[in-house]
Amino acid sequence: MNIHEYQTKELFRSYKIPVPEGRMAHSANQALSAAEQLGGDGWVVKAQIHAGGRGKAGGVQMANSLDEVQEHAESLIGKRLVTKQTGEAGRLVNRVLVEQIHQIDTEYYLGIVIDRSSQRITLIASAAGGMEIEEVARATPDKVIREVVDPAVGLQDFQCRKVAAGIGLNGKQIVKAARIMKSLYRCFRDKDALMVEINPMVTTTEGDFLALDAKMSFDGNALFRQSEITDLRDFDEEDPKEVEASGHDLNYIALDGSVGCIVNGAGLAMATMDAISLYGGKPANFLDVGGGASPEKISNAFRIVLEDPNVKVVLMNIYAGINRCDWIAEGIVKAMTELTVEVPVVVRLAGTNLEAGREILKRSGLDYIHADRLSDAAEKSVEAVASGVAA
């Protein structure tokens, strides 16, 4: 789960991480009022969407007058902002963040992630702030400093000082930066975050540190104990199908292919997507119905998959263990009877109560494509997309 920049900065304030003074606005008039409240003679108007690369896409505008603040806000709010991370459709800007402009001396990068290779929280820093850290790591890996955190003791002071010195800080700067790193780590740990990023973290001409931009994402599996974070969720930034699927306890992620997948188990879902690709097709989604899927749950999965206009065939691939093939079959019959299914449906069942499931499907008289194996199901699905009719 992601949150907006202004929300991340509010979290930072609660951990005493220095951030610029700012106000969020839903309209040009609110943006003008925000600038008046902030005071000063220069402001920045920043589009609030869940995607990086806003600056290069025109989503961050400098204003030297109140009129310019209002003009920039009016041009951004209601606009679809297209960045490297949004895809061609872009993201609709519903709000902007108005902040005072600060005189910047130096820019740095500071972030915390969970490193998969070490399976530990890792502090990342660079003197090349304001740039995409992935590009910096690719082009000049020596400019990126990593410090792995031992979970038994947490982030230590000496590690923070080591990182601060490594990005060129000295004297009192090291002390201030180390304090920010420790606070950032506590915020990351306390809130079950997956990633927190300050890019850039700057020093001003007055010698102060500021988190000029901020990004944070959280572990969705831990949200049950993070109610205050769950309240920050912006459903407008998410695919409506994914939001609806989560309400039915379905793990759904929309993709850009034509084979709609309904599978039980994340591993089997990944294998199904790989098999589709192997035979020259492209999956339209990842969908894991999980264990113990009821007929109603299967029917809901069908409906959500079919809401995607790009879906040209539905592939149902179930290996029943906790699940039962007869439950799955009842769900397929329920879905294909109640919904308007205008695309071919490929069904591969295996495991618990297989014969009972096949008998239910046989008695239903429904028109579907039977498959015995995963490879068989993937191949028939791709063929059905190519032919446009059920084989």
Side-chain angles (χ1 to χ4, degrees):
M1 180 190 135
N2 299 313
I3 61 174
H4 289 293
E5 175 192 0
Y6 75 92
Q7 295 168 323
T8 302
K9 287 180 174 176
E10 284 300 319
L11 274 179
F12 281 6
R13 285 190 182 93
S14 67
Y15 282 84
K16 294 183 170 51
I17 298 169
V19 297
E21 280 297 316
R23 302 283 189 278
M24 191 267 291
H26 285 97
S27 68
N29 286 336
Q30 285 185 4
L32 173 62
S33 177
E36 290 173 338
Q37 292 174 35
L38 291 169
D41 53 10
W43 303 267
V44 58
V45 182
K46 309 175 78 173
Q48 297 297 286
I49 60 171
H50 289 174
R54 293 171 300 164
K56 293 181 180 178
V60 178
Q61 299 287 340
M62 303 297 178
N64 295 315
S65 69
L66 293 173
D67 287 341
E68 285 188 1
V69 170
Q70 193 169 21
E71 289 170 7
H72 292 326
E74 192 166 1
S75 68
L76 288 172
I77 296 173
K79 171 186 176 182
R80 297 198 76 87
L81 193 64
V82 180
T83 78
K84 289 176 64 175
Q85 296 182 11
T86 64
E88 294 180 0
R91 292 279 178 84
L92 183 65
V93 180
N94 291 310
R95 56 183 68 79
V96 295
L97 174 63
V98 181
E99 292 180 334
Q100 283 184 331
I101 288 180
H102 291 268
Q103 298 303 314
I104 298 170
D105 183 31
T106 313
E107 297 184 353
Y108 304 93
Y109 174 90
L110 184 61
I112 300 179
V113 298
I114 297 177
D115 179 57
R116 292 187 177 183
S117 59
S118 64
Q119 298 184 20
R120 292 186 175 184
I121 295 173
T122 302
L123 177 66
I124 301 175
S126 175
M131 302 171 61
E132 294 182 12
I133 194 64
E134 295 84 1
E135 294 298 325
V136 175
R138 188 178 298 112
T140 53
D142 56 301
K143 291 185 177 180
V144 180
I145 298 172
R146 297 175 176 84
E147 192 69 23
V148 177
V149 179
D150 186 333
V153 296
L155 183 63
Q156 298 295 291
D157 291 341
F158 80 88
Q159 292 179 296
C160 297
R161 292 194 296 269
K162 174 183 172 184
V163 170
I167 59 176
L169 300 176
N170 53 61
K172 291 182 179 179
Q173 286 183 323
I174 291 180
V175 177
K176 291 180 179 179
R179 192 178 299 124
I180 292 173
M181 293 176 197
K182 291 291 290 289
S183 296
L184 199 65
Y185 172 74
R186 284 195 298 272
C187 180
F188 182 96
R189 178 201 61 198
D190 293 349
K191 303 303 181 184
D192 288 308
L194 292 177
M195 183 276 296
V196 59
E197 181 180 73
I198 303 175
N199 189 24
M201 179 178 76
V202 304
T203 54
T204 66
T205 52
E206 292 82 19
D208 298 320
F209 280 94
L210 280 176
L212 211 60
D213 196 4
K215 185 186 296 184
M216 207 164 180
S217 62
F218 303 87
D219 183 356
N221 293 318
L223 291 178
F224 70 94
R225 61 187 179 199
Q226 298 288 350
S227 59
E228 73 280 13
I229 299 300
T230 306
D231 291 341
L232 301 178
R233 187 175 180 182
D234 184 355
F235 291 105
D236 291 336
E237 289 288 319
E238 302 180 34
D239 187 306
K241 296 188 295 297
E242 294 180 12
V243 174
E244 183 183 4
S246 66
H248 295 292
D249 197 25
L250 297 167
N251 297 311
Y252 175 94
I253 299 173
L255 301 173
D256 58 359
S258 54
V259 180
C261 304
I262 301 175
V263 191
N264 68 316
L268 183 58
M270 297 293 285
T272 302
M273 293 162 63
D274 286 343
I276 292 168
S277 300
L278 178 65
Y279 284 99
K282 292 184 69 177
N285 62 272
F286 169 99
L287 195 154
D288 171 19
V289 299
S294 65
E296 289 74 20
K297 195 173 184 180
I298 296 299
S299 180
N300 284 323
F302 253 94
R303 180 169 48 77
I304 291 167
V305 167
L306 291 172
E307 285 175 359
D308 184 348
N310 295 321
V311 170
K312 306 304 179 186
V313 60
V314 175
L315 168 54
M316 169 72 71
N317 183 26
I318 301 293
Y319 191 90
I322 299 174
N323 272 315
R324 289 169 30 181
C325 289
D326 53 335
W327 288 347
I328 302 299
E330 288 174 10
I332 295 172
V333 172
K334 178 180 175 64
M336 295 185 69
T337 301
E338 296 178 353
L339 303 174
T340 302
V341 182
E342 298 178 342
V343 299
V345 176
V346 179
V347 179
R348 182 258 180 166
L349 300 178
T352 306
N353 289 359
L354 172 60
E355 294 306 322
R358 286 179 174 174
E359 183 61 27
I360 290 171
L361 290 175
K362 183 179 179 180
R363 290 200 311 266
S364 71
L366 294 172
D367 184 18
Y368 69 95
I369 304 171
H370 171 77
D372 289 314
R373 301 176 307 280
L374 169 57
S375 57
D376 183 34
E379 186 174 16
K380 287 180 176 177
S381 297
V382 174
E383 289 175 353
V385 171
S387 63
V389 295

